[in-house]
Amino acid sequence: MKLITLTFAIISALALGNVNAQDPPSQSVGVARLTPEVRTAISKGLEYLSKEGSQRADGSWGGDQNRVAETSLTLMAFMLQGHVPGRGQYGRNMENAISFLLNVGQNQRGYLGTPKNHAGMYEHGLAVLALSEAWGQSKNPRIKSALTRAVDITLRAQNKEGGWRYSPEPRDADLSMTVMQIVALNSASEAGIAVPQTTIDKAAEYVLSCQDQGSGGFKYTAGGGEPNFARTAAGVMSLIMCGQRNLKATQRGIAFLKAFPESKFKSTNHFHYAHYYAVQSMYQSGDADFRAWYPKISAEIIGKQNKNDGSWSGSYGQAYGTSLSILILGVPYRYLPIYQR
Amino acid sequence: MNPPSTFQIFQKIPTVLPQTVTILSLIFLQLSALGAPVRPSGTIGYLQQLNEEDWILKAEALHYLSENKVPEALESILKITKDEKERSWIRSKALVAYCKIQNGQDIPQILSTFASSSDQVLREGAAESAGLIKENKGMEILLKLTTDKIKSVQLRALASYSRIMGEKAWPLAQKMTESITEELIPLAVESLALVGNKDAFERLKELTKSSTNKRPLVESLDRSKSPKAVPVLLDLLENTSTDDANYAYIISALSKNNNEILSSSLKDLIRTGRDSALFAAARIITILFQDPNLGKELLSALTTSTAPETLKTVMIALGSKEMNPDSNKEFFITHLKNETPEIKVLSIRCLSHCTEANLYTLLKETIKDNESRVSIAAISALMETPLEDAPTGELVSYLEDVLVSTDNVIRKAAFELLGHAGNADDFEPALAMLGEALSGTDTVRREAVAEALGSIAPDNGIANVARRQGYVSNWMVLGTFLNDKEHKAFANELEPEKGIDFEKTYPSTYVWALQGNQKRDGEKPIEREIGWSEASVNKTNGMLMMGPLLPPPGTFSIAYAVSDFNSEKDQDLFLSLDGDDAFKVWLNGEKISEQVAPYLHRQSCVASQGNIKIKLKKGKNRILVKSANIEHEWWIRARITDANNKPLELF
């Protein structure tokens, strides 16, 4: 499935002699057309990310604490528009980013979290996601072995309730971290890395245990915390990834997201994080939901773009805000396997 | 004062040292980083500990520093050996530590001094230390000490001599161990183990048998570090009760030997065929050393006369996952029919470790065993069995005997298994078999059956299970109306209370609030039109969960639920109600109950009222519930029974 989609994307780009893929050949592959405005915003964002000074010499983006996370997100942002590592306009940026991630893994026996980041498993998950998407596009032969080792760490870090938390060991769990690992494992599995179904099933069980029975929203942990928009978006997306799209619990979550006040499009806690999952949830939910959702969030995101340099501000800096904004806007590109229905 | 045993020393260590060691380890790490020579962790602490007054701490430091051969300790240790105010035993141990660390061929002056001392304890220290001098340079002192006037000094010297000379020491050892008093047997045993020839072992065995104090004997054998001591230790184990404090001590000594030696000695032990030998071997296999090859030996050594206690121990050994229990499957299956219930239970547990056994097939008869513990063990094992092994669609008949067992525990376990391994195909047969329990007055049984049926029921079966228990199962629901933390809207009369019209819609307002706070900035009230919709209870315990039925988020909300039902006659019955957070109930337009649970943030707030006497009229009756929720869970439940608590199916 993954390879077919990626191959289609690449072949399409080649057929039109547009390896750079700044304007992919078909903007109507998604259920919602990408407006010229959206395409321009994404392109400007990618230009910002590729600018000298944005990417570090070691191939990473972002501050010292979250470099793996920001690099992974940025790499995915480039791939979203069909750019290929090692080729074309951003090929070198992407190859350097992949090398950075691989080096982190090599130095830490497969673990991909930034060493000083106490919530390193989040980064680990994002890096697995990015490398899984990159595998098949990049010619770097180290990706597969790095992914295999990283996935092995993830599998071993699942706790007895089925969840994950900050560090790569099977102790406690929270929804946010668990969702990250589910998304990562799903992508790795699509990429051909063996992921036991029992791991996914247990993870889904954990996510379900975090659902608030009263509202249908999702809480931070099974035992506590209030449901909110961001957690519910993450919970719904992960259940869909676990193959539970038609589950009543998932449908309740989607209803929660839709019914949440419209102010969610303007500002909500963990804005980029929340909408990264929410827009995918709506995409997976079906055409009608996505058509109702996407124009609102895309308009809001475009409104937040820095018109001077094409960047977006985010909770963890420009690379974070810019890459996630692109990933939210670019869902209709449908090039990344994670967006497939 | 008697010298402390190793056991006494090590008993005290854990309570005294950890913090000191940790702190000093950190200092050590910092020094290492600065380029200081690498020393074993904790060295600095133990060097300081040499100056402690407490003899146990001092002895422990000597042990550690000598085992790790810390050269910085030599000076301080030498000082202890020369300190005439110090206990002889500590001085003696200090000399041994000194020679161990020095590890050379020079004889320290203090060793010669000790060897000619009038203090027996110091001479014993010299005897032990002289054997540590390289190139056999201490031999002269050793041989002299073997003729000491005190027997313990002689034997200590003999042990050192034997360590150096091995089998060549036999002529001297033969002579010196010929006639030994009981308290000296351990020292003699150590020497003989170190000599290690056949004759020495024959004598060793004789001595061992005549000794009543096993602890020093085991210590000596352990100290000898001779592989030939393993059979002797096994022999000791065979003749030691599991309740004896020495039992664990012997196992600890055995654990220090390598697997090859242990395996070979265990094989010899098993092949004797003695019950006690099999018992000892099986214990060692369970506790210490899992080798599937030994399992085969154990199996072939069993006879029909093997005692039940031994058989049990052997089964425990063979059933562990590391012993490849699949290879012993037939043995376990055979013993499912053993006349001893405990053996049957063990067989079941062992079989549950076999990956190639379909327990549903194997336990078909065992599950019906007359002994409840056997039956329960079988059910528990099936709970752990892969679901695909369960007989799909036939699980109810498979479990028939236990599902209707008169034993409550068996029945409960069977219900759990049904709920766990059953699926929708099993629902109707299960309902037919167990339905009677749903309308019975045994609450525990009713709830267990309902839970089991709920686990396997198709979506449309849940309400049926609830209905048969007397729960109001079909409702019309309307919501939500805006409430607040003070339940103002709950107290006020709202439109639906003035008259029910299922065709009508109502304007309603709600405010999206999740944090227990309705007044968040920027959140405006939302207006909408709401109407009645059909709903069925979604739990077999009769709960109507409001959250999934109504628009999210369901916080600070009011909803109405109506159920119409027929009564064949005018009759007096009893209604029990509960709900989270508050409810008002009307029967045929007359208010019969109002309950509000105190608000608890993020917790269940359950209000309830049981056994309200109600009068039903012949024909159609209507129950109306007004339910309020602040946050968290939101549900209502109503059940109608007769005076004997027997449910009535009215709905």
Side-chain angles (χ1 to χ4, degrees):
Chain A
M1 186 78 158
K2 168 196 166 78
L3 291 176
I4 293 170
T5 312
L6 287 172
T7 309
F8 171 73
I10 294 163
I11 289 173
S12 303
L14 287 170
L16 294 177
N18 188 1
V19 175
N20 291 344
Q22 270 183 306
D23 294 312
S26 167
Q27 290 86 41
S28 59
V29 287
V31 289
R33 257 173 204 281
L34 281 178
T35 62
E37 200 182 9
V38 169
R39 279 186 281 132
T40 304
I42 291 175
S43 297
K44 281 187 74 178
L46 292 178
E47 275 172 39
Y48 167 80
L49 291 169
S50 69
K51 260 192 336 196
E52 199 174 334
S54 178
Q55 187 176 23
R56 293 181 183 218
D58 62 4
S60 70
W61 279 270
D64 287 342
Q65 287 294 311
N66 307 294
R67 283 160 68 188
V68 170
E70 292 179 67
T71 305
S72 303
L73 288 169
T74 306
L75 178 60
M76 287 196 292
F78 282 116
M79 287 190 283
L80 182 82
Q81 209 189 39
H83 298 285
V84 180
R87 302 177 69 180
Q89 186 180 358
Y90 301 126
R92 184 179 291 273
N93 300 93
M94 296 167 77
E95 271 303 318
N96 289 344
I98 290 170
S99 293
F100 168 76
L101 296 176
L102 296 177
N103 288 339
V104 170
Q106 191 173 11
N107 293 336
Q108 300 184 110
R109 297 181 178 180
Y111 180 54
L112 292 161
T114 299
K116 288 178 189 169
N117 189 339
H118 85 289
M121 271 308 276
Y122 208 92
E123 294 199 294
H124 181 78
L126 270 174
V128 167
L129 176 59
L131 288 175
S132 300
E133 307 297 353
W135 188 23
Q137 291 197 47
S138 167
K139 288 180 178 170
N140 194 326
R142 291 164 60 205
I143 293 181
K144 184 179 179 183
S145 61
L147 263 180
T148 308
R149 292 178 78 184
V151 166
D152 190 44
I153 286 170
T154 309
L155 297 179
R156 281 189 278 120
Q158 187 177 33
N159 83 347
K160 63 182 177 189
E161 291 156 344
W164 286 265
R165 199 104 196 246
Y166 298 137
S167 55
E169 52 193 349
R171 296 209 304 210
D172 45 2
D174 70 56
L175 177 80
S176 175
M177 199 62 80
T178 301
V179 168
M180 186 68 256
Q181 305 315 319
I182 290 173
V183 172
L185 287 177
N186 184 73
S187 191
S189 174
E190 288 279 315
I193 306 290
V195 175
Q197 188 56 39
T198 49
T199 302
I200 300 298
D201 291 346
K202 281 193 74 180
E205 269 178 40
Y206 180 78
V207 172
L208 285 169
S209 74
C210 293
Q211 188 168 36
D212 175 53
Q213 291 310 310
S215 63
F218 285 75
K219 303 174 290 181
Y220 182 54
T221 64
E226 296 286 349
N228 71 11
F229 179 72
R231 290 169 196 149
T232 305
V236 168
M237 182 59 197
S238 65
L239 286 175
I240 291 171
M241 293 249 157
C242 292
Q244 308 287 355
R245 190 197 315 206
N246 297 324
L247 207 65
K248 281 179 188 166
T250 312
Q251 295 304 315
R252 284 194 73 196
I254 290 171
F256 180 100
L257 294 175
K258 284 157 64 178
F260 203 92
E262 290 292 293
S263 59
K264 64 197 168 199
F265 291 114
K266 292 204 177 298
S267 76
T268 185
N269 286 341
H270 310 291
F271 180 84
H272 283 103
Y273 170 94
H275 281 289
Y276 171 66
Y277 285 124
V279 73
Q280 292 180 70
S281 298
M282 289 305 147
Y283 184 81
Q284 299 285 350
S285 179
D287 291 0
D289 286 343
F290 187 69
R291 282 179 196 279
W293 193 277
Y294 180 75
K296 291 176 185 169
I297 186 60
S298 60
E300 193 60 37
I301 296 261
I302 286 172
K304 288 177 189 286
Q305 187 172 30
N306 184 329
K307 301 303 175 205
N308 294 326
D309 63 7
S311 72
W312 279 269
S313 297
S315 320
Y316 300 96
Q318 302 299 99
Y320 174 87
T322 305
S323 54
L324 272 173
S325 295
I326 291 169
L327 289 169
I328 295 165
L329 285 177
V331 168
Y333 273 131
R334 293 181 68 189
Y335 284 163
L336 286 175
I338 196 172
Y339 298 129
Q340 287 174 15
R341 271 203 287 256
Chain B
M1 187 187 76
N2 288 330
S5 69
T6 315
F7 177 72
Q8 280 175 302
I9 294 171
F10 282 91
Q11 256 193 333
K12 193 164 179 182
I13 296 164
T15 57
V16 181
L17 289 173
Q19 286 181 336
T20 319
V21 171
T22 309
I23 293 162
L24 291 170
S25 299
L26 289 172
I27 296 168
F28 159 73
L29 284 173
Q30 286 194 329
L31 286 175
S32 299
L34 293 172
V38 176
R39 289 180 296 205
S41 172
T43 296
I44 293 173
Y46 284 116
L47 285 171
Q48 289 177 350
Q49 203 172 305
L50 286 175
N51 301 320
E52 292 282 346
E53 281 301 312
D54 190 327
W55 60 267
I56 290 185
L57 293 179
K58 200 171 280 188
E60 194 256 338
L62 285 170
H63 176 80
Y64 176 88
L65 293 166
S66 62
E67 285 297 307
N68 289 285
K69 294 191 168 50
V70 178
E72 293 101 307
L74 279 172
E75 195 180 327
S76 304
I77 293 175
L78 190 61
K79 208 169 145 191
I80 295 171
T81 61
K82 291 178 178 171
D83 182 359
E84 293 187 357
K85 290 180 189 163
E86 185 55 88
R87 291 169 179 82
S88 300
W89 185 82
I90 287 289
R91 292 178 70 195
S92 175
K93 286 289 162 200
L95 178 62
V96 175
Y98 185 86
C99 292
K100 268 191 190 170
I101 298 170
Q102 190 190 38
N103 197 28
Q105 45 180 294
D106 296 333
I107 299 175
Q109 179 56 44
I110 191 73
L111 172 53
S112 305
T113 308
F114 276 25
S116 56
S117 165
S118 59
D119 185 334
Q120 167 197 336
V121 178
L122 295 184
R123 293 205 302 284
E124 281 180 17
E128 190 174 347
S129 305
L132 298 168
I133 307 299
K134 296 282 175 192
E135 306 287 333
N136 298 345
K137 292 286 173 64
M139 194 60 86
E140 193 184 329
I141 294 175
L142 275 182
L143 287 172
K144 190 179 167 201
L145 289 172
T146 57
T147 61
D148 195 277
K149 60 186 175 186
I150 301 294
K151 195 74 177 172
S152 64
V153 178
Q154 288 177 20
L155 288 171
R156 176 60 67 198
L158 176 65
S160 293
Y161 178 75
S162 304
R163 189 180 297 280
I164 295 167
M165 301 299 286
E167 291 192 11
K168 287 182 187 164
W170 173 238
L172 184 59
Q174 183 184 26
K175 195 172 129 196
M176 290 179 67
T177 58
E178 215 158 25
S179 172
I180 294 288
T181 54
E182 170 145 12
E183 71 270 18
L184 292 172
I185 287 177
L187 272 177
V189 160
E190 184 178 347
S191 300
L192 292 168
L194 288 164
V195 172
N197 67 7
K198 195 180 166 193
D199 293 329
F201 266 89
E202 285 306 316
R203 178 161 295 172
L204 191 155
K205 280 182 195 167
E206 280 170 34
L207 291 174
T208 308
K209 278 177 194 157
S210 60
S211 174
T212 51
N213 191 356
K214 286 179 183 164
R215 174 63 61 87
L217 206 60
V218 176
E219 272 184 6
S220 292
L221 289 166
D222 188 16
R223 208 165 38 233
S224 77
K225 295 187 171 68
S226 167
K228 293 184 178 172
V230 172
V232 184
L233 286 167
L234 286 175
D235 191 49
L236 275 172
L237 190 76
E238 185 185 340
N239 294 296
T240 304
S241 158
T242 50
D243 301 329
D244 190 324
N246 289 311
Y247 196 87
Y249 204 66
I250 300 169
I251 287 179
S252 165
L254 283 166
S255 71
K256 293 171 192 167
N257 292 279
N258 75 40
N259 290 347
E260 204 177 325
I261 293 162
L262 206 52
S263 177
S264 146
S265 302
L266 280 171
K267 224 173 257 180
D268 292 341
L269 183 69
I270 294 166
R271 284 176 184 174
T272 64
R274 293 189 301 269
D275 241 42
S276 55
L278 296 184
F279 183 87
R283 292 278 294 181
I284 290 287
I285 289 169
T286 303
I287 298 167
L288 209 59
F289 177 57
Q290 288 80 41
D291 176 359
N293 291 324
L294 289 174
K296 289 176 194 158
E297 295 281 344
L298 267 180
L299 273 183
S300 58
L302 292 174
T303 64
T304 48
S305 60
T306 301
E309 219 33 57
T310 305
L311 186 59
K312 276 193 273 176
T313 311
V314 168
M315 289 188 111
I316 291 168
L318 296 178
S320 77
K321 285 180 181 165
E322 293 77 15
M323 290 291 281
N324 186 17
D326 278 302
S327 63
N328 307 316
K329 194 171 69 180
E330 291 308 316
F331 170 69
F332 303 136
I333 292 171
T334 305
H335 284 286
L336 284 175
K337 291 179 180 158
N338 192 294
E339 56 191 27
T340 311
E342 275 176 296
I343 303 252
K344 286 187 194 174
V345 169
L346 269 175
S347 303
I348 293 166
R349 288 186 187 153
C350 292
L351 279 168
S352 72
H353 288 166
C354 297
T355 53
E356 295 163 7
N358 184 326
L359 288 193
Y360 277 96
T361 307
L362 296 174
L363 301 180
K364 193 170 181 180
E365 295 305 315
T366 313
I367 202 170
K368 305 170 191 168
D369 198 278
N370 293 331
E371 275 283 340
S372 63
R373 58 185 149 161
V374 176
S375 185
I376 287 165
I379 295 171
S380 301
L382 292 174
M383 285 289 285
E384 302 298 319
T385 298
L387 292 176
E388 56 267 28
D389 286 353
T392 310
E394 293 172 16
L395 186 62
V396 175
S397 79
Y398 180 95
L399 295 174
E400 184 173 356
D401 288 32
V402 283
L403 284 170
V404 297
S405 166
T406 52
D407 184 319
N408 287 342
V409 182
I410 292 177
R411 231 172 34 227
K412 187 169 183 297
F415 294 153
E416 277 175 25
L417 178 59
L418 176 65
H420 169 73
N423 59 32
D425 292 340
D426 298 305
F427 178 70
E428 286 302 332
L431 190 60
M433 182 183 288
L434 304 170
E436 198 183 335
L438 296 177
S439 52
T441 54
D442 180 342
T443 306
V444 174
R445 188 172 179 205
R446 172 175 63 80
E447 289 177 353
V449 168
E451 192 179 340
L453 289 171
S455 303
I456 59 174
D459 281 350
N460 58 10
I462 299 278
N464 188 15
V465 175
R467 180 179 54 77
R468 292 180 69 165
Q469 297 172 78
Y471 291 113
V472 180
S473 52
N474 295 311
W475 299 88
M476 292 294 285
V477 174
L478 173 73
T480 58
F481 297 94
L482 188 60
N483 192 20
D484 59 20
K485 235 174 198 170
E486 287 74 42
H487 284 311
K488 281 183 200 141
F490 179 69
N492 296 337
E493 184 183 52
L494 304 186
E495 200 58 26
E497 293 164 52
K498 296 171 185 167
I500 305 293
D501 180 354
F502 294 137
E503 301 301 319
K504 196 175 169 186
T505 61
Y506 306 80
S508 90
T509 304
Y510 79 102
V511 173
W512 190 279
L514 290 169
Q515 314 287 331
N517 175 11
Q518 271 183 301
K519 291 170 185 165
R520 277 181 60 197
D521 293 340
E523 298 301 355
K524 294 174 189 166
I526 299 165
E527 304 296 335
R528 61 186 169 193
E529 281 286 313
I530 56 174
W532 292 92
S533 59
E534 291 180 9
S536 295
V537 295
N538 28 28
K539 301 224 170 197
T540 52
N541 62 10
M543 282 182 179
L544 182 70
M545 307 301 289
M546 306 301 271
L549 300 171
L550 299 165
T555 47
F556 302 103
S557 293
I558 297 278
Y560 291 89
V562 173
S563 186
D564 292 333
F565 57 95
N566 282 306
S567 174
E568 290 175 349
K569 57 184 179 185
D570 291 343
Q571 54 183 330
D572 291 345
L573 294 170
F574 292 87
L575 174 67
S576 294
L577 298 155
D578 49 4
D580 187 331
D581 300 351
F583 58 78
K584 281 183 191 175
V585 181
W586 293 263
L587 178 67
N588 297 329
E590 181 192 348
K591 188 170 147 192
I592 56 171
S593 177
E594 177 173 346
Q595 296 290 327
V596 179
Y599 170 68
L600 297 167
H601 184 45
R602 292 186 190 173
Q603 291 178 50
S604 298
C605 309
V606 181
S608 63
Q609 186 170 5
N611 292 322
I612 307 164
K613 196 169 180 182
I614 54 173
K615 283 185 183 296
L616 296 189
K617 62 186 184 191
K618 185 179 178 186
K620 181 182 160 188
N621 293 266
R622 168 168 286 177
I623 186 169
L624 166 65
V625 179
K626 180 180 188 181
S627 172
N629 183 50
I630 292 178
E631 59 165 21
H632 205 59
E633 293 180 342
W634 187 14
W635 54 269
I636 58 167
R637 175 164 60 181
R639 183 168 184 250
I640 295 180
T641 58
D642 66 13
N644 298 315
N645 197 33
K646 190 168 172 53
L648 275 86
E649 286 188 43
L650 298 162
F651 309 97

